[in-house]
Amino acid sequence: MFADIAKIKIKGGEGGAGAVAFHREKYVAAGGPDGGYGGKGGDVVFQVDQNLSTLIDFKYKTKYAAEDGQPGAGKNCFGRDGEPGRGGRQYGRKGQDLEIRVPRGTVIREVQSGAVMADMSKTERFIAAKGGKGGWGNMHFATPTRQVPRFAKAGLPGESHDVFLELKLL
């Protein structure tokens, strides 16, 4: 079979939630907040594959979603794309990027507007849907007047698009 057009739904991963945790250590009465930041959600990436010549695979699977980011944890553990400059900390991981392979010459269009998002004639990667940012842990909200915050910020949702894939030439 041969297919030269397909409609799919893509969604970037959601950002991980920040953690509410408190420092616990022997002989330390009030250690304060140490909840980490959540990790970034994975991106949906289109990549040209020389071995493909048709869009038939997209007729059977129409929904593609990247992995969500890992939530933050205690002991200042962050998701991988948490606050920069925190060397020496334990890191969780961000959401895994989802790579979708398409044949050379595929045009990616948005369904609602009909605008061309990308022309996959070259071998460059194209990020079609970005993952959401991770949430802040409770240590981000600590101030001199609010020393024990008991809340954290949730991660942001990833981008979502309905797209048409059109094969413009053989």
Side-chain angles (χ1 to χ4, degrees):
M1 290 193 61
F2 181 78
D4 61 350
I5 191 167
K7 179 182 174 185
I8 63 172
K9 181 175 182 66
I10 56 175
K11 183 181 181 305
E14 294 185 8
V20 176
F22 298 96
H23 185 72
R24 301 283 182 213
E25 188 176 352
K26 191 173 182 178
Y27 305 120
V28 178
D34 71 349
Y37 290 44
K40 179 185 177 296
D43 299 331
V44 177
V45 180
F46 283 95
Q47 177 69 40
V48 172
D49 189 352
Q50 298 291 349
N51 298 326
L52 294 176
S53 61
T54 180
L55 297 174
I56 193 69
D57 296 337
F58 299 104
K59 292 288 185 186
Y60 302 110
K61 184 176 178 191
T62 59
K63 294 181 182 177
Y64 294 87
E67 189 178 31
D68 295 340
Q70 183 181 19
K75 298 182 183 176
N76 292 331
C77 293
F78 299 95
R80 181 156 306 175
D81 287 343
E83 185 173 311
R86 299 283 185 174
R89 304 279 192 225
Q90 295 177 353
Y91 287 95
R93 61 179 175 79
K94 76 173 204 132
Q96 188 74 20
D97 290 343
L98 175 67
E99 189 173 277
I100 300 175
R101 298 197 170 273
V102 294
R104 183 181 296 278
T106 301
V107 176
I108 303 169
R109 291 185 189 273
E110 208 170 15
V111 171
Q112 285 89 6
S113 65
V116 174
M117 294 174 69
D119 184 357
M120 302 300 291
S121 296
K122 301 196 183 270
T123 57
E124 298 159 355
R125 296 167 45 107
F126 172 67
I127 299 174
K130 294 187 178 190
K133 293 177 73 174
W136 293 334
N138 68 335
M139 68 173 220
H140 178 83
F141 299 103
T143 62
T145 57
R146 180 179 51 211
Q147 296 178 1
V148 187
R150 298 188 191 284
F151 58 91
K153 186 176 177 184
L156 297 176
E159 294 178 353
S160 179
H161 300 289
D162 290 333
V163 296
F164 275 125
L165 301 176
E166 300 174 18
L167 194 57
K168 67 178 181 178
L169 53 99
L170 290 176

